[in-house]
Amino acid sequence: MEKLLIEPTRSSPRIRFDGQAHLLEVTGESYPEDAAMFYRPVFEWLTRYLEGLAAGVEVRVKLDVNYFNSSTSKIFMDLFELLDDHVRAGKTIVAEWISHEENDMGIEFGEEFQECVTDLPIHVVTRA
Amino acid sequence: MEREGIFGKEEGFLKEARAFLNEEREREIAVCGNTFCPKPHLDTYEGLLSRYDALLTGYEKLQRKLGVMMRISDKQQLKINNTNQELTEAKEQLERRNEFIRNIFGRYVSDDVVDSLLDSPEGLSLGGEKRDVTILMSDLRGFSAISDSYSPESVMGMLNIYLDEMTEVIESHHGTIDAFIGDGILVMFGAPVAMSDHPQRAVACAVGMQLAMERVNRRNVAAGYPEIAMGIGINSGSVVVGNIGSARRSKYTMIGMNVVHASRIESYTIGGQVLISSETRERCGEVLAIRRELQVIPKGYKEAITIHEVAGIGAPYGLHLPTPAGVDCCLLSSPVPVCFAVVHDKQVEHWLTDGEIVGTGKNLVFLRSERELESLVNLRLLLTGEEGSGLEVLAKVQDRVDSGCQVYRVAITHASTEAEGFLAQLQGG
């Protein structure tokens, strides 16, 4: 499956989804004017990828987004929900919510997202 | 999956549930007619429960997501508010610092320089650039001699009145005060803020400064100080400007031969005069009123230069110096013997030449001497007659009255109170 690469802008994050390495990364800031439109290709790619994902393969999803708007928070919850559904269906997916160690609020956001899922493990990881 | 907006998924659930409900209603009407039918078909009932469950689950998820969204949104809002508060405090602190810089720094440089530096802090870096400017140099005539005769407090009092009035005029014409050099003021026009009309502004400023001397002297007299007079020299041309000094202490200033030229021109002035270079006159154009032209050879110059005495400047400034009163000459029945020395760059020559005062006028004397004297040469006159013996007068040769009899019109630039009284007595007698 082809990689999904979206370069970052001032208001949108870098998207790097590598189906071969089974590594999905979202990095930067996210407050696009139309969050739904920006993330539409992301969900399309992810849905196709997860449907074709073989059992037993571990997928790592990393989100390192230090600023995001309310629309993006809804998108992220949808993303975690989609992943959560697939974990329940037997896929192996591990998510990481990455935040700077001094960004207490960023860490709290990761904990909030943990409450939205039942089966997907979301690890809150801090970086220096 | 079609996603219209961020709530596209939830809208999809609701749309599906609504369609199912409508379909069931139609089916109920078809089966039961208009009569009350308490139980739907069994298969439809199971389907209804399943749909209801999906709708309820979707609603629960939506409520959970909404709760998370609101908490995240509240926290983001809090973060933005805190950041705004920090920004406001930082802005206030910056404004206080700027005000402090303006209050302290502004005592030494003009508001234009402060504004320019605050707008572009990189301007604080040491360095320089060539700029086309007009340089104004003013100096009080005979003030060194005055300062020797008064207490330090009085000298400072006089200077502060003078500099206070002059600074106001200079700033109103957007001049940048480069330095107060004792009783002299060095001003630049055209830097740091560029202006195309800097020659006209400088001349207008000079005329304004001379006119303001009336206020200076009113305040001086009220404070018990003597009246003072100022001469101004102006030149236009290229100089190097910039912050010159060390990283610890630097100053926005100008350097170049054109600055020296302005200073040389100033040295030829008497009180109340504004002399300008040919360069400045040419650049000012027709707007200037020129009283006369003079040929002089300044120190270090090989050839004579022409300097121009300003009478005023026209629109939009409309400033004019008072026309000198006609020389009301009072010829003396008995000439007063004097000896005099020529002063070059404040150095008095070592030999004395004999002469005599043959007439007096307002702030001037008519000096007869066999020695050839050039216009604008400074003299130190020493009265040697029986009356007034030992009294000193500083003066500047204006011109020769009559080439046949070697009489020169000499403007008095400074006289002690006693000498002033003696000369007034001569004029009255």
Side-chain angles (χ1 to χ4, degrees):
Chain A
M1 189 168 181
E2 282 185 11
K3 292 177 184 174
L4 175 68
L5 295 171
I6 300 174
E7 287 305 313
T9 68
R10 195 171 59 86
S11 60
S12 63
R14 168 183 283 111
I15 308 285
R16 246 182 71 186
F17 282 9
D18 184 348
Q20 302 293 321
H22 304 293
L23 179 63
L24 318 180
E25 292 177 302
V26 181
T27 316
E29 298 192 344
S30 179
Y31 50 98
E33 198 173 329
D34 187 340
M37 193 171 79
F38 175 77
Y39 283 100
R40 185 173 298 143
V42 175
F43 275 88
E44 285 170 358
W45 187 96
L46 190 59
T47 304
R48 277 205 315 278
Y49 167 71
L50 291 172
E51 282 169 358
L53 186 66
V57 176
E58 183 178 295
V59 180
R60 283 178 300 145
V61 182
K62 295 183 175 184
L63 282 91
D64 185 351
V65 184
N66 56 22
Y67 178 75
F68 54 92
N69 61 5
S70 301
S71 297
T72 299
S73 69
K74 168 68 168 59
I75 298 286
F76 285 173
M77 282 186 279
D78 286 350
L79 173 71
F80 289 132
E81 189 181 88
L82 178 64
L83 297 172
D84 198 35
D85 290 344
H86 280 270
V87 170
R88 260 195 306 282
K91 307 281 169 60
T92 309
I93 306 170
V94 178
E96 283 182 12
W97 176 260
I98 303 166
S99 186
H100 190 277
E101 62 185 5
E102 289 180 2
N103 186 0
D104 294 340
M105 211 173 281
I107 295 167
E108 285 175 25
F109 291 159
E111 291 164 355
E112 292 281 2
F113 290 134
Q114 283 173 334
E115 288 184 20
C116 292
V117 294
T118 53
D119 298 278
L120 171 73
I122 301 178
H123 302 299
V124 178
V125 179
T126 58
R127 60 175 163 75
Chain B
M1 179 173 58
E2 191 181 341
R3 303 178 62 86
E4 292 298 327
I6 60 167
F7 288 101
K9 190 177 175 181
E10 289 76 8
E11 282 164 5
F13 281 140
L14 292 171
K15 198 173 168 186
E16 206 173 310
R18 174 61 65 190
F20 179 78
L21 188 62
N22 291 341
E23 190 183 313
E24 279 305 303
R25 275 184 179 152
E26 282 174 16
R27 187 182 296 185
E28 285 295 317
I29 291 167
V31 172
C32 305
N34 288 327
T35 58
F36 177 68
C37 189
K39 282 187 181 178
H41 298 286
L42 189 61
D43 60 333
T44 310
Y45 185 64
E46 286 298 326
L48 183 63
L49 286 180
S50 165
R51 295 287 175 179
Y52 184 75
D53 181 52
L55 186 61
L56 195 61
T57 306
Y59 187 79
E60 284 167 353
K61 281 184 180 175
L62 178 62
Q63 195 187 25
R64 201 160 54 235
K65 285 179 188 175
L66 198 60
V68 172
M69 270 184 73
M70 287 186 74
R71 285 197 293 277
I72 287 176
S73 180
D74 286 350
K75 284 176 183 172
Q76 297 277 36
Q77 186 67 49
L78 188 68
K79 191 176 175 181
I80 290 168
N81 287 347
N82 289 342
T83 306
N84 274 347
Q85 182 66 29
E86 284 168 14
L87 277 176
T88 304
E89 284 170 11
K91 189 181 166 208
E92 285 171 359
Q93 194 183 10
L94 187 65
E95 280 171 358
R96 282 198 299 274
R97 284 173 67 89
N98 283 355
E99 189 62 25
F100 177 78
I101 291 168
R102 195 179 296 283
N103 287 341
I104 299 300
F105 204 36
R107 292 171 65 179
Y108 303 100
V109 297
S110 72
D111 285 350
D112 285 345
V113 176
V114 177
D115 287 343
S116 173
L117 292 177
L118 288 176
D119 287 346
S120 326
E122 63 274 15
L124 283 170
S125 63
L126 301 177
E129 59 176 324
K130 269 207 163 181
R131 288 284 282 271
D132 186 56
V133 300
T134 294
I135 305 119
L136 180 156
M137 178 83 200
S138 78
D139 197 39
L140 289 178
R141 299 271 68 90
F143 194 75
S144 299
I146 290 175
S147 62
D148 287 342
S149 316
Y150 285 82
S151 68
E153 292 79 11
S154 298
V155 173
M156 285 301 124
M158 277 182 259
L159 276 179
N160 285 338
I161 290 173
Y162 163 67
L163 296 176
D164 178 45
E165 294 285 350
M166 294 305 115
T167 301
E168 195 179 320
V169 177
I170 293 163
E171 290 197 342
S172 72
H173 287 87
H174 300 287
T176 297
I177 297 172
D178 182 293
F180 293 130
I181 309 164
D183 56 317
I185 312 173
L186 180 60
V187 187
M188 62 179 116
F189 292 82
V193 180
M195 48 183 81
S196 57
D197 57 347
H198 53 81
Q200 292 93 331
R201 280 178 189 262
V203 173
C205 178
V207 176
M209 286 168 74
Q210 290 293 11
L211 295 174
M213 285 304 287
E214 193 188 330
R215 283 199 303 276
V216 171
N217 283 325
R218 266 208 310 271
R219 287 174 66 180
N220 273 2
V221 169
Y225 303 144
E227 291 192 359
I228 53 177
M230 171 185 63
I232 296 175
I234 293 176
N235 179 37
S236 302
S238 178
V239 295
V240 173
V241 295
N243 286 302
I244 295 165
S246 69
R248 277 174 168 272
R249 185 182 172 89
S250 65
K251 176 180 180 295
Y252 190 85
T253 189
M254 60 182 163
I255 294 170
M257 281 310 297
N258 278 311
V259 181
V260 178
H261 196 54
S263 172
R264 292 278 186 267
I265 292 169
E266 182 278 321
S267 71
Y268 289 108
T269 61
I270 58 169
Q273 258 186 343
V274 176
L275 297 178
I276 64 172
S277 67
S278 295
E279 183 68 28
T280 303
R281 181 182 180 177
E282 198 175 304
R283 291 188 190 204
C284 284
E286 298 301 313
V287 73
L288 287 190
I290 298 296
R291 188 165 285 152
R292 60 173 174 157
E293 290 181 359
L294 300 158
Q295 296 282 319
V296 292
I297 306 177
K299 183 190 171 192
Y301 286 56
K302 288 179 180 168
E303 291 177 7
I305 61 163
T306 305
I307 53 179
H308 313 261
E309 185 180 348
V310 174
I313 182 166
Y317 304 101
L319 293 169
H320 296 276
L321 292 170
T323 309
V327 178
D328 189 10
C329 177
C330 170
L331 288 175
L332 302 177
S333 51
S334 307
V336 176
V338 296
C339 58
F340 64 88
V342 172
V343 182
H344 288 294
D345 281 335
K346 302 198 174 177
Q347 297 294 313
V348 185
E349 67 182 11
H350 294 298
W351 63 92
L352 294 170
T353 307
D354 287 328
E356 56 185 11
I357 295 174
V358 296
T360 61
K362 186 173 166 50
N363 293 326
L364 58 83
V365 294
F366 291 88
L367 175 70
R368 179 158 52 210
S369 168
E370 294 305 313
R371 181 173 172 180
E372 288 287 337
L373 294 171
E374 287 177 13
S375 288
L376 306 183
V377 155
N378 290 313
L379 301 179
R380 183 181 174 193
L381 297 172
L382 188 63
L383 277 64
T384 55
E386 278 182 27
E387 287 184 56
S389 177
L391 294 176
E392 268 191 30
V393 172
L394 298 179
K396 191 184 284 285
V397 176
Q398 295 302 287
D399 48 22
R400 182 185 286 189
V401 175
D402 187 327
S403 57
C405 62
Q406 294 283 104
V407 173
Y408 297 92
R409 196 190 328 257
V410 178
I412 297 167
T413 54
H414 172 70
S416 63
T417 312
E418 292 82 3
E420 235 174 33
F422 178 75
L423 292 171
Q425 197 183 334
L426 288 179
Q427 199 172 358

